Amino acid sequence: MSGAQPGDETLLAFDFGARRTGVAIGNTLTGTARALAQICEPSNERRMERVAALIREWQPQRLVVGRPLHPDGARHESTARCERFARQLAGRFALPVELVDERYSTVAAAAQAAGRGPGATLDARAAAIILRQYLDERTSA
């Protein structure tokens, strides 16, 4: 990729949901993450088509997916669906996919949005929080 510095990666992050999936964009060099889009597609195939369009547009080197867990860290019904989504991303787009604990990301996104005017959707904001968490964990490791 021309213009990229060593260790500089563009990242797309996903807050996966059965009905809506939030998407955020970020960069490892700047450590930034911002809400990008919300995907509301009824079928998995159409959802993947939207993801493919975002990947073509932004050309990320890595994907990050929030893994939903109960507050005590236990898995629940959404965990398996999210992990399946992450495997589909890896298989279809041949990009590395990182799973990140997403507990409380939607709550944090709602808190950030409180009092603000219209802007990014709650799901896209949650994806940005997931991506910021990934970037923070990466720099502290």
Side-chain angles (χ1 to χ4, degrees):
M1 182 170 139
S2 65
Q5 301 296 317
D8 180 14
E9 291 183 331
T10 298
L11 309 167
L12 276 182
F14 300 90
D15 179 31
F16 175 79
R19 291 180 286 161
R20 296 179 314 273
T21 299
V23 185
I25 185 82
N27 182 279
T28 57
L29 186 64
T30 61
T32 58
R34 69 175 173 86
L36 182 63
Q38 177 176 272
I39 299 173
C40 298
E41 293 295 347
S43 75
N44 188 56
E45 190 56 38
R46 289 183 57 152
R47 178 183 291 131
M48 287 298 176
E49 288 171 8
R50 291 282 312 277
V51 170
L54 289 168
I55 288 174
R56 280 192 304 274
E57 179 179 356
W58 295 97
Q59 299 181 13
Q61 288 75 47
R62 183 174 308 273
L63 307 176
V64 176
V65 177
R67 176 189 284 146
L69 299 167
H70 284 293
D72 66 0
R75 298 168 58 85
H76 57 74
E77 66 280 350
S78 297
T79 308
R81 286 193 297 252
C82 173
E83 290 170 344
R84 180 174 177 256
F85 173 71
R87 286 190 305 274
Q88 289 174 335
L89 290 174
R92 184 175 287 212
F93 301 111
L95 290 169
V97 177
E98 305 284 341
L99 287 162
V100 174
D101 180 350
E102 71 157 28
R103 283 178 279 183
Y104 308 113
S105 62
T106 301
V107 173
Q112 285 182 358
R116 293 186 186 175
T121 67
L122 188 62
D123 298 300
R125 285 183 176 136
I129 289 168
I130 291 164
L131 185 51
R132 276 190 216 104
Q133 181 178 329
Y134 169 81
L135 290 166
D136 290 347
E137 288 172 2
R138 179 182 163 115
T139 57
S140 66

